């Protein structure tokens, strides 16, 4: 199963829970940026289920006839936040314009071409007409978890990640929650790849996200359920 890097911690726990009632099913995850995973599937990688951090990648696969559009389900939602290293106060950043402060030298975002968190971040910056002016400070990462690592290590002064990444870390400060209206909705669609040799088992795994305990885990890890 291929899944967005931002879902690593949640899905590893969901797998353990699923195994309790389905011990005969072996669930193996391949975590990376949604764009990279989409490209792998398009190139014929053996994948049963794809869970993306963006609708764009899933719609591309539907358009290519690799997933059934009417079987795509929304697994969870998320929010975008701006974080700073835990060793900094972060007090100097109160809005996006403060990224131009002389105290802020480098800002990490996911590569907007392949990382959904990156293009949500770009959308938010563009809405404030800041993206082009800020480009000299931007450091592009291969996925949102790499952004988190850059900030945790202090190699950058700020970074855009999901709320769930901030909660998972414990080593960074969340200084700004980006308004949902500033970017496309952050949805996590899931679908069975039509070439999967295990379609029934794959559908059963996706249906497991309707389990009340799984919904509790989704919230515990900083996401929200699709009906929220």
């Amino acid at each position: 199963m291929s899944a967005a890097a931002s879902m690593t911690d949640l899905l590893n726990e969901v797998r353990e829970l699923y195994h309790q009632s389905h011990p005969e099913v072996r669930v193996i995850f391949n975590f990376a940026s949604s764009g990279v995973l989409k490209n792998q599937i398009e190139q014929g990688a053996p994948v049963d289920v794809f869970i993306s951090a963006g609708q764009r990648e899933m719609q591309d696969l539907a358009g290519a006839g690799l997933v059934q559009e009417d079987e795509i389900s929304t697994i969870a939602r998320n929010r975008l936040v701006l974080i700073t290293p835990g060793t900094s106060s972060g007090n100097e950043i109160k809005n996006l314009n403060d990224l131009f402060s002389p105290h802020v030298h480098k800002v990490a975002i996911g590569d907007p071409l392949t990382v959904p968190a990156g293009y949500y971040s770009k959308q938010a910056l563009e809405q404030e007409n800041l993206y082009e002016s800020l480009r000299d400070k931007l450091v592009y990462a291969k996925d949102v978890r790499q952004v988190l690592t850059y900030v945790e290590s202090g190699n950058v002064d700020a970074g855009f990640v999901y709320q769930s990444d901030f909660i998972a870390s414990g080593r960074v400060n969340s200084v700004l929650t980006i308004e949902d209206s500033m970017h496309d909705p952050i949805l996590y669609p899931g679908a069975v790849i039509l070439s999967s040799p295990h379609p029934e088992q794959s559908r059963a795994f996706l249906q497991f996200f309707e389990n009340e305990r799984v919904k509790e885990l989704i919230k515990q890890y900083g996401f929200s359920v699709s009906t929220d």
Side-chain angles (χ1 to χ4, degrees):
M1 300 189 184
S2 292
S6 54
M7 298 202 92
T8 300
D9 300 322
L10 169 64
L11 289 182
N12 281 332
E13 187 154 352
V14 170
R15 172 172 54 191
E16 295 304 312
L17 189 62
Y18 190 73
H19 186 68
Q20 292 174 18
S21 55
H22 300 80
E24 76 287 356
V25 178
R26 187 180 180 203
V27 179
I28 301 173
F29 288 117
N30 173 33
F31 294 108
S33 71
S34 298
V36 166
L37 296 173
K38 183 206 76 163
N39 291 340
Q40 291 174 353
I41 293 168
E42 289 175 332
Q43 292 164 15
V47 177
D48 293 303
V49 172
F50 178 42
I51 300 177
S52 173
Q55 298 179 83
R56 182 173 69 177
E57 291 78 13
M58 190 66 78
Q59 288 303 316
D60 284 349
L61 293 184
L66 296 173
V67 302
Q68 190 73 34
E69 187 162 9
D70 60 7
E71 290 192 3
I72 298 171
S73 59
T74 301
I75 301 301
R77 298 173 181 265
N78 217 331
R79 299 201 70 184
L80 191 67
V81 297
L82 183 67
I83 59 172
T84 58
T87 52
S88 72
S89 67
N91 292 336
E92 65 274 9
I93 301 177
K94 294 181 170 35
N95 56 61
L96 292 178
N97 280 289
D98 289 337
L99 293 175
F100 292 99
S101 162
H103 302 290
V104 179
H105 303 285
K106 295 181 180 179
V107 180
I109 72 169
D111 183 343
L113 295 177
T114 57
V115 184
Y119 65 74
Y120 297 137
S121 304
K122 182 182 178 184
Q123 285 179 328
L125 290 168
E126 286 180 334
Q127 188 166 119
E128 299 292 303
N129 296 314
L130 302 177
Y131 184 73
E132 291 301 327
S133 301
L134 198 63
R135 286 184 75 130
D136 287 344
K137 291 189 176 186
L138 296 180
V139 175
Y140 296 98
K142 66 178 182 179
D143 57 44
V144 72
R145 283 303 173 95
Q146 188 172 67
V147 174
L148 182 64
T149 299
Y150 287 163
V151 180
E152 287 178 332
S153 64
N155 287 329
V156 299
D157 304 294
F160 290 92
V161 299
Y162 295 124
Q163 177 176 271
S164 56
D165 298 302
F166 161 67
I167 290 174
S169 171
R171 296 169 53 194
V172 296
N173 303 312
S174 176
V175 295
L176 187 65
T177 299
I178 309 302
E179 293 293 331
D180 292 340
S181 60
M182 297 179 70
H183 53 72
D184 291 343
I186 302 176
L187 305 178
Y188 287 75
V192 177
I193 304 303
L194 289 177
S195 61
S196 167
H198 313 103
E200 295 307 316
Q201 291 172 319
S202 300
R203 289 189 186 95
F205 182 78
L206 285 175
Q207 289 168 0
F208 190 62
F209 284 84
E210 295 300 315
N211 180 288
E212 290 304 315
R213 175 59 184 138
V214 174
K215 290 181 179 180
E216 290 174 10
L217 286 175
I218 288 171
K219 296 176 182 179
Q220 178 183 321
Y221 278 91
F223 300 85
S224 61
V225 296
S226 61
T227 55
D228 281 0

